[in-house]
């Protein structure tokens, strides 16, 4: 198969990051380029940041984009860590118009999960695998025999004895805000995983996002029965998965 390079963009609450990805091997072939997420993170402001990334790579072609919301047919159906005015907006249209390209959008954690399942630790893993991204929020991707069940939003269930949703208790932004030690954070995260385990009965839990790099600092506190491992692709999974998604969708458009 010839080497196919696709631009993958990972939109996050604090930064919008892009890189060119070889979708045959799942490798990033450029450094990642990051633009801070504008404040307020409105469609207009974010479209500008998005087009800066496309311009930086002087890229023409389909773009795959991971976005931190429930996504149905490229439309945002929620907005927890971005401006509420995104709800109901067709992201492909807004970003595509600004950057003059075709943009295919999927949930950011789903994108990271797809990358990890195809090119990382999830490869050939059967049964239920759940990937949790730990960042400003908690993102989730769930797979059964390698197939994605999209938009699971496991950062948004309530924990026993807590009056807040899980991501308001155990995301990395909470650790920073409350200045929690890694041990304290690990304890909270274990509480989160206990509920996740009860709800999903997974065979494997993979941790992605920025804090997965620090897994060694809190793994002692993780006491659930299910195997929990940090992602192999670390923080790059979001970009790689977005590119893979963009490629798949663009191919569908050509063949259908
Ligand atoms: C959002 C998810 C997203 C996650 C990680 C959550 O607040 O609801 O859609 O995947 O943050 O960015």
């Amino acid at each position: 198969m010839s080497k196919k390079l696709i631009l993958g963009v990972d939109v996050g609450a604090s930064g919008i990051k892009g890189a060119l990805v070889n979708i045959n091997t799942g490798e990033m072939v450029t450094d990642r380029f990051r633009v801070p997420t504008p404040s307020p993170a409105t469609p207009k402001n974010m479209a500008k940041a998005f087009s800066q990334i496309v311009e930086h790579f002087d890229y023409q072609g389909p773009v795959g984009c991971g976005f931190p919301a429930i996504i149905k047919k490229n439309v945002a159906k929620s907005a927890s860590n971005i401006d509420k005015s995104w709800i109901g907006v067709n992201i492909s249209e807004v970003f595509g118009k600004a950057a003059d390209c075709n943009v295919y959008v999927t949930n950011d954690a789903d994108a990271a999960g797809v990358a990890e399942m195809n090119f990382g630790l999830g490869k050939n893993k059967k049964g239920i695998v759940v990937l949790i991204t730990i960042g400003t929020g908690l993102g989730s991707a769930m797979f059964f025999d390698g197939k994605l069940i999209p938009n699971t939003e496991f950062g948004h269930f309530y924990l026993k004895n807590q009056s807040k949703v899980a991501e308001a208790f155990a995301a990395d932004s909470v650790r920073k805000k409350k200045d929690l030690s890694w041990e304290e954070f690990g304890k909270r995260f274990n509480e989160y995983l206990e509920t996740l385990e009860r709800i999903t009965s997974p065979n494997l839990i993979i941790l992605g996002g920025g804090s997965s790099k620090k897994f060694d600092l809190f793994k002692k506190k993780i006491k659930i029965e299910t195997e929990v491992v940090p992602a192999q692709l670390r923080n790059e999974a979001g970009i790689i998965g977005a590119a893979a998604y963009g490629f798949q969708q663009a191919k569908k458009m050509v063949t259908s």
Side-chain angles (χ1 to χ4, degrees):
M1 207 194 271
S2 68
K3 186 165 155 182
K4 185 87 195 148
L5 302 184
I6 298 284
L7 178 60
V9 177
D10 183 21
V11 176
S14 61
I16 304 178
K17 297 140 277 180
L20 291 181
V21 176
N22 177 342
I23 49 91
N24 298 333
T25 61
E27 280 163 330
M28 277 179 25
V29 298
T30 61
D31 282 341
R32 49 174 222 167
F33 179 67
R34 181 183 189 273
V35 176
T37 302
S39 175
T42 55
K44 193 170 160 223
N45 290 344
M46 281 171 81
K48 221 165 146 190
F50 180 88
S51 52
Q52 271 175 269
I53 297 201
V54 179
E55 269 165 36
H56 171 85
F57 290 102
D58 196 15
Y59 178 82
Q60 283 172 334
V63 182
C65 175
F67 195 89
I70 296 171
I71 307 293
K72 284 197 165 175
K73 295 188 178 146
N74 295 307
V75 174
K77 298 284 179 184
S78 68
S80 343
N81 294 308
I82 46 166
D83 199 80
K84 299 285 176 246
S85 60
W86 271 107
I87 297 176
V89 170
N90 186 313
I91 305 159
S92 291
E93 278 176 22
V94 173
F95 283 177
K97 211 167 143 199
D100 195 20
C101 55
N102 287 328
V103 184
Y104 302 95
V105 187
T106 186
N107 172 267
D108 58 346
D110 283 347
V114 165
E116 199 61 34
M117 293 303 284
N118 283 294
F119 305 112
L121 289 179
K123 218 170 160 180
N124 303 322
K125 284 277 183 319
K126 294 282 177 215
I128 296 174
V129 177
V130 176
L131 176 126
I132 300 295
T133 60
I134 317 169
T136 307
L138 289 178
S140 61
M142 175 150 135
F143 296 83
F144 179 65
D145 284 352
K147 197 162 167 37
L148 174 72
I149 297 147
N151 291 314
T152 44
E153 294 291 332
F154 290 145
H156 287 264
F157 54 66
Y158 281 76
L159 300 179
K160 211 164 79 184
N161 305 327
Q162 298 293 336
S163 55
K164 3 174 150 71
V165 294
E167 73 171 16
F169 178 71
D172 196 48
S173 51
V174 179
R175 179 188 64 79
K176 287 182 182 148
K177 201 164 132 201
K178 293 198 171 291
D179 200 16
L180 301 176
S181 67
W182 283 106
E183 293 227 324
E184 286 167 320
F185 173 75
K187 238 174 108 191
R188 280 182 179 228
F189 202 74
N190 187 58
E191 217 176 304
Y192 167 63
L193 290 180
E194 278 171 358
T195 307
L196 181 73
E197 183 180 54
R198 279 233 139 227
I199 294 175
T200 60
S201 297
N203 301 87
L204 175 68
I205 296 176
I206 304 177
L207 304 182
S211 321
S212 60
K213 284 184 274 192
K214 306 281 186 192
F215 186 60
D216 275 352
L217 301 177
F218 65 92
K219 71 175 182 202
K220 267 204 327 256
K221 295 285 167 192
I222 306 304
K223 301 207 158 89
I224 60 167
E225 210 185 302
T226 310
E227 186 187 0
V228 180
V229 291
Q232 185 181 319
L233 305 178
R234 305 291 160 110
N235 219 7
E236 290 174 353
I239 295 176
I240 295 167
Y245 180 79
F247 177 69
Q248 274 165 17
Q249 295 303 308
K251 208 163 78 177
K252 261 196 212 161
M253 300 300 280
V254 173
T255 51
S256 60

